[in-house]
Amino acid sequence: MYRIYDCLAHQHDIVLVLVALLIGLAGIHTAFNLYARACIGRLRQKIAWLFLTGVVTGGGIWATHFIAMLSYDPVVPVGYEPLLTAISLAIAIVTTTIGFAIASISGPHLVLSHLVLSRLVGGLVVGLGISAMHFTGMSAIRVPGIISWHMDIVIAAILMGALFGMASLYLAKTAQTDQQKLLGKANLTIAVATMHFGAMGALVITPDPTVPVPAQLISQEYLAVGVAVVAIGLIAIGFVTALVDRQLRDHVSNRMRILGDSAIEALVLTQNGRVIDANDSFLKLGGVTRAEILDQDFLTEWLSDTPAEFKSGKVGYAETTLSWSNNTAIPVEVVRREIPADEISDATVIFGLRDLRERYAAENHIRFLAERDALTKLLNRSTFNDRLAEALTQSDETGIPLTVMCIDFDHFKELNDSFGHIAGDHALRELGERLAELFSDNVVIARVGGDEFVALLSHPEQSDMDNVIARSRETAQQILDCVALPVFINAEHRAKLSASIGIAHYPTDGNDAESILFHADLAMYRVKQSGGNDIVFYSSEMDEEYRFKRQLSSNLRHAMENGQLELHYQPQCETDGNDQVIHSFEALLRWTDPELGSIPPGRFIPIAEETGLIVPLGEWVLRTACKEAARWKNPLGIGVNLSAVQLQKHELPELVAEILNETGLDPKRLELEVTETALIHNPARSMKILSDIKKLGVRIAMDDFGTGYSSLATLQNFPVDRIKIDQSFIKKLVSNDQAIAIVRAVINLSRDLNLEVIAEGVETDEQASFLNDHDCRSVQGYKYGYPKPISDYAHVVNPTEFPETTANRDSGIETV
């Protein structure tokens, strides 16, 4: 090291050394710009650019060497043999051309190890070429003396030149970024400097006047001029060529970049699989800078999950994940397009990418809306059915039973009627949230319509039915407790609900989804019929009852179509002591089925209400009764019962008016009987309908008075003409003090309100005597006549046809 330092410090002109280094830097700078261009051209253009790279690099290094030689003072006169000097220039150009050519080898068929090897080998050739050029140039020196070398320093210099030469092209890669170029230039400059000055330190010149010096030598003055001309010319040619080419490429690149940045989609350009450019949309998408992605293997480092067919180019579209080193993953759709190679550049692949996060989010939202109930965010009917089908299949495979629960909220309609549908929706939403939070992964719950919910309970690793039933009951009780918590309606009101839950098990209670749901629903309706707020497990008796109801419903429909229904009439009398006069009849529906025999109204009327048959059935009764009464010569009144379902029909007043007009019945003779329970389902609607009927001249009677929820409020608010005391109170007269008090109070209340009153179900003389004593003259019951066909009361309704009977003087009971 000391010899090298002593040689550089005391035997060289520092100014010329700096000039040599500047010439070398200029040449190497220009060379790497040319090399960068050579790495992206087609083969023919690549060869041309590589040759120009070698000429500029070799010429620059050669010029650096000989300018540095001119700065060296060996004490003795120095000359240079022309041929060897020229050969050294040729060696520099050839070896650097070959080295850069080897390093530029690339392509999709080369793996990373092959690329690294080509760059290392190329750098080694350049490094060794520097050494070959140097020692060939040194051998051209002619001095009157003997030249010798310190071989250890020579070997070290050659190794240093080779190592830094390898490092320069390895680190430079394809020289597409400023960083790559800077690393390549710095290491190659170090290679040239260490090689030259190391070798100069190993040089020993021993003066010897006897050594002959040829006359045909190049003097140092001429060498200086020649080297300067060669160096400046080669560097200028390379620089200008690279500058013009770069400007052209930059112009084209800028136009393409402007076009690319105008695109909403992310665009990435690659050559030989390496990124050469990307637009702003991609940089924003990836959160990177352009410098960070240049020369990366795009498919390997950014689209590693892409299908092999897309990577190979067999398909041009894929949906995949864009991911990189910061562990961020973005779903994208990618389109691949090939641009063939031209005179300017290699074949280029453009990747167009679109961020799919918004689309996936929209699809997930659509899927959520399709699978979920909009109000409660629970599963909807369709999705629940799919889950149930999957669970049944799994149950068949594992043998583990399933539980299905049908859940219905009790008196939810009253909540809607009292507070409005908005409050009802709020209650359903809150209950849905509670149930969703209550259940684990083993329970699936869905809203299937209105206030109806279903739950699917699985029993992992549990096949014992006793344990299954116990767990089902426990879960159902949790639901009841959850529903029982008050629901916020508004600042003044909280609603407390209850639920009816029917439970069925698979496979014991059904062999498919339809049957298991149906049986759970049957069990739920059994709870509703029993008052609600309870849990009932399905049993086979429920199925038998359902089949009977279904048969009854079918037979009832058939009876309506085939005239199997008839009306019986029960007299309503006015009494005064021992005399009684029939003033009206109540029309009562009777049905005798050919298969089942006589069926009481209490059995088939509820079924008609459940199935919707009550509307046409009620119209038939009203029309038939009015038509019959219109034929009577004795203008007695006719009473017809209205069901709660009929009373909610807006068109009821128009129907009554139509029937009256059609039959010609005097409206004052018609009395429509309604119950308190029917009125409170929708009080506002009931008030409007009854008021419209009242305007027709029709009388309104309140049936079963005293058994409802708000009797006094009903009397005050509704247009009632007559009160009918329910027969349950009449039956308890004489023996029950409370019944006596209630009947007496109703009679007095009616008198004070100027309303008529009639007692139903009078059967005994004691009952009749009590009512007569308390001034209740209007009565109805078996004591005064059984419900019979109107033909049995022909002497009453048509007295002129029976002159021997004075029906209006007495009741005519003797014929009943």
Side-chain angles (χ1 to χ4, degrees):
M1 289 297 295
Y2 177 76
R3 284 190 58 80
I4 297 173
Y5 169 75
D6 180 68
C7 175
L8 180 60
H10 298 100
Q11 294 181 280
H12 284 76
D13 184 341
I14 297 301
V15 174
L16 287 177
V17 169
L18 293 176
V19 171
L21 290 176
L22 289 175
I23 293 292
L25 284 172
I28 292 172
H29 171 75
T30 304
F32 272 95
N33 288 336
L34 296 172
Y35 174 65
R37 181 62 184 84
C39 287
I40 59 175
R42 297 181 67 184
L43 180 60
R44 189 166 56 185
Q45 287 71 39
K46 184 187 292 286
I47 293 173
W49 285 105
L50 286 171
F51 174 73
L52 189 55
T53 302
V55 169
V56 173
T57 308
I61 295 172
W62 180 82
T64 299
H65 167 73
F66 278 97
I67 292 174
M69 287 295 300
L70 293 175
S71 69
Y72 175 68
D73 183 11
V75 183
V76 297
V78 176
Y80 297 88
E81 205 280 318
L83 181 59
L84 290 175
T85 301
I87 291 173
S88 66
L89 174 60
I91 291 174
I93 292 174
V94 171
T95 54
T96 53
T97 300
I98 294 173
F100 277 107
I102 295 173
S104 69
I105 296 174
S106 62
H109 57 285
L110 293 180
V111 297
L112 180 61
S113 60
H114 292 165
L115 292 173
V116 171
L117 182 61
S118 66
R119 291 165 187 165
L120 292 176
V121 172
L124 178 62
V125 171
V126 171
L128 293 178
I130 295 171
S131 300
M133 179 278 303
H134 175 85
F135 288 108
T136 302
M138 292 296 292
S139 65
I141 297 176
R142 297 293 182 265
V143 295
I146 299 173
I147 297 177
S148 61
W149 304 85
H150 288 281
M151 293 309 297
D152 54 343
I153 298 178
V154 169
I155 293 172
I158 294 173
L159 290 176
M160 291 296 288
L163 289 175
F164 279 103
M166 294 167 67
S168 67
L169 293 190
Y170 171 73
L171 296 176
K173 298 182 179 178
T174 57
Q176 299 303 306
T177 67
D178 291 339
Q179 182 181 13
Q180 292 173 347
K181 292 178 182 178
L182 179 61
L183 291 172
K185 294 170 186 177
N187 281 276
L188 189 55
T189 301
I190 294 173
V192 173
T194 54
M195 172 60 229
H196 176 84
F197 292 108
M200 291 303 296
L203 177 64
V204 178
I205 298 177
T206 304
D208 185 354
T210 62
V211 175
V213 177
Q216 302 296 326
L217 296 178
I218 301 174
S219 65
Q220 287 187 320
E221 291 77 7
Y222 286 117
L223 181 62
V225 174
V227 168
V229 170
V230 172
I232 293 173
L234 293 177
I235 294 173
I237 292 171
F239 180 77
V240 170
T241 303
L243 180 62
V244 171
D245 179 75
R246 184 182 183 92
Q247 288 179 341
L248 289 174
R249 289 172 55 78
D250 286 346
H251 177 70
V252 175
S253 178
N254 287 336
R255 290 176 65 87
M256 293 299 296
R257 183 165 295 163
I258 291 172
L259 180 62
D261 289 341
S262 299
I264 299 175
E265 289 80 6
L267 299 175
V268 177
L269 279 70
T270 65
Q271 286 182 345
N272 299 319
R274 320 296 291 187
V275 177
I276 61 171
D277 205 353
N279 69 347
D280 286 345
S281 296
F282 180 81
L283 300 180
K284 292 178 182 178
L285 179 64
V288 294
T289 63
R290 187 171 279 104
E292 289 176 322
I293 66 168
L294 290 180
D295 203 43
Q296 291 186 358
D297 188 320
F298 185 62
L299 289 174
T300 300
E301 299 187 29
W302 288 81
L303 298 176
S304 56
D305 294 335
T306 308
E309 293 81 1
F310 182 84
K311 291 182 178 180
S312 64
K314 292 182 180 179
V315 296
Y317 175 85
E319 290 190 12
T320 183
T321 302
L322 184 72
S323 58
W324 57 102
S325 56
N326 61 359
N327 295 323
T328 302
I330 299 175
V332 293
E333 59 178 346
V334 189
V335 176
R336 175 185 181 132
R337 293 293 181 268
E338 305 277 350
I339 299 179
D342 55 23
E343 299 299 323
I344 303 268
S345 63
D346 284 344
T348 303
V349 179
I350 298 180
F351 294 95
L353 302 94
R354 180 176 296 168
D355 189 348
L356 294 181
R357 285 176 293 186
E358 289 188 5
R359 194 186 88 182
Y360 281 3
E363 289 176 353
N364 289 336
H365 183 61
I366 292 172
R367 188 178 302 110
F368 179 86
L369 293 178
E371 294 179 350
R372 300 279 172 166
D373 170 60
L375 182 64
T376 63
K377 301 301 183 291
L378 297 173
L379 297 180
N380 58 25
R381 182 190 296 272
S382 176
T383 308
F384 180 83
N385 288 340
D386 293 341
R387 299 282 181 88
L388 178 59
E390 294 174 2
L392 294 181
T393 301
Q394 186 175 1
S395 177
D396 291 338
E397 295 173 353
T398 61
I400 298 175
L402 296 171
T403 300
V404 173
M405 302 180 184
C406 284
I407 307 161
D408 190 89
F409 299 131
D410 303 326
H411 310 300
F412 188 77
K413 187 177 185 303
E414 282 81 348
L415 186 149
N416 270 336
D417 293 341
S418 300
F419 299 103
H421 288 282
I422 294 178
D425 288 347
H426 176 78
L428 288 174
R429 189 181 300 111
E430 182 174 333
L431 290 170
E433 291 174 356
R434 290 184 193 173
L435 294 174
E437 294 175 358
L438 177 67
F439 291 141
S440 64
D441 294 338
N442 294 326
V443 180
V444 177
I445 187 165
R447 180 187 178 215
V448 295
D451 60 333
E452 299 177 15
F453 292 71
V454 289
L456 173 63
L457 177 62
S458 58
H459 306 275
E461 308 301 327
Q462 181 61 263
S463 57
D464 182 72
M465 279 306 299
D466 291 338
N467 293 334
V468 168
I469 292 173
R471 183 166 178 264
S472 300
R473 185 181 298 279
E474 179 184 355
T475 302
Q477 187 59 50
Q478 288 178 334
I479 296 174
L480 290 181
D481 296 341
C482 177
V483 173
L485 297 175
V487 177
F488 175 85
I489 300 298
N490 52 46
E492 293 79 22
H493 298 92
R494 302 288 189 278
K496 189 170 183 180
L497 297 174
S498 60
S500 299
I501 302 178
I503 302 176
H505 299 293
Y506 179 84
T508 56
D509 295 334
N511 55 11
D512 55 25
E514 183 179 0
S515 62
I516 200 71
L517 280 170
F518 175 68
H519 291 159
D521 200 51
L522 278 182
M524 183 269 292
Y525 273 106
R526 174 63 63 87
V527 184
K528 300 287 282 187
Q529 292 171 355
S530 302
N533 193 29
D534 202 357
I535 303 162
V536 168
F537 288 85
Y538 167 79
S539 63
S540 58
E541 291 79 5
M542 298 178 188
D543 225 4
E544 295 174 3
E545 181 181 357
Y546 171 78
R547 284 194 292 270
F548 176 75
K549 284 185 176 180
R550 192 172 180 181
Q551 180 187 2
L552 209 61
S553 174
S554 176
N555 289 4
L556 179 59
R557 189 181 302 275
H558 185 269
M560 291 175 58
E561 296 172 352
N562 293 274
Q564 296 176 0
L565 300 173
E566 62 178 333
L567 291 182
H568 285 192
Y569 297 84
Q570 185 174 30
Q572 297 175 336
C573 301
E574 191 74 24
T575 64
D576 184 11
N578 294 323
D579 295 330
Q580 49 268 338
V581 178
I582 298 175
H583 59 75
S584 59
F585 285 92
E586 180 180 2
L588 300 172
L589 183 62
R590 293 295 182 263
W591 175 28
T592 301
D593 185 80
E595 299 176 9
L596 304 176
S598 178
I599 302 172
R603 190 76 175 96
F604 68 82
I605 292 296
I607 295 176
E609 290 181 335
E610 289 179 14
T611 59
L613 288 175
I614 192 64
V615 174
L617 187 63
E619 181 181 345
W620 181 87
V621 170
L622 180 60
R623 190 180 302 275
T624 303
C626 289
K627 185 181 296 185
E628 175 62 41
R631 290 198 296 260
W632 301 341
K633 291 183 173 59
N634 191 0
L636 303 177
I638 182 69
V640 179
N641 290 281
L642 291 179
S643 74
V645 178
Q646 285 178 283
L647 193 58
Q648 299 306 309
K649 298 295 181 181
H650 290 289
E651 62 273 13
L652 180 61
E654 288 78 7
L655 176 65
V656 173
E658 175 190 331
I659 292 175
L660 291 173
N661 182 63
E662 177 185 311
T663 60
L665 182 70
D666 185 351
K668 295 179 181 178
R669 295 176 59 192
L670 177 62
E671 183 176 80
L672 297 180
E673 300 182 10
V674 296
T675 63
E676 288 182 273
T677 305
L679 294 176
I680 67 169
H681 280 305
N682 191 328
R685 181 184 296 178
S686 300
M687 170 70 78
K688 176 68 168 58
I689 292 173
L690 289 181
S691 296
D692 290 344
I693 292 176
K694 184 73 174 172
K695 292 176 183 177
L696 299 175
V698 176
R699 292 166 52 85
I700 305 296
M702 183 172 292
D703 198 8
D704 302 336
F705 185 77
T707 61
Y709 297 100
S710 54
S711 302
L712 296 180
T714 304
L715 291 177
Q716 182 180 2
N717 296 327
F718 290 90
V720 177
D721 296 291
R722 183 158 66 163
I723 296 174
K724 299 188 73 172
I725 303 175
D726 189 68
Q727 59 184 340
S728 62
F729 300 116
I730 302 301
K731 288 181 179 179
K732 297 178 181 178
L733 283 177
V734 181
S735 63
N736 188 294
D737 293 338
Q738 289 182 340
I740 293 172
I742 291 173
V743 172
R744 185 187 298 119
V746 172
I747 295 172
N748 293 332
L749 178 64
S750 300
R751 183 185 303 112
D752 293 340
L753 294 176
N754 198 27
L755 297 175
E756 298 179 18
V757 63
I758 182 172
E760 294 183 293
V762 181
E763 299 181 0
T764 66
D765 292 338
E766 290 83 358
Q767 295 168 350
S769 177
F770 177 90
L771 293 170
N772 187 66
D773 293 344
H774 289 82
D775 202 23
C776 178
R777 307 298 183 185
S778 189
V779 291
Q780 177 182 352
Y782 291 163
K783 176 176 171 56
Y784 305 101
Y786 287 89
K788 291 184 177 182
I790 197 61
S791 59
D792 289 358
Y793 293 104
H795 63 285
V796 177
V797 298
N798 295 308
T800 57
E801 298 179 5
F802 301 89
E804 71 281 3
T805 304
T806 55
N808 286 327
R809 183 175 54 82
D810 56 39
S811 63
I813 298 304
E814 72 278 359
T815 66
V816 177

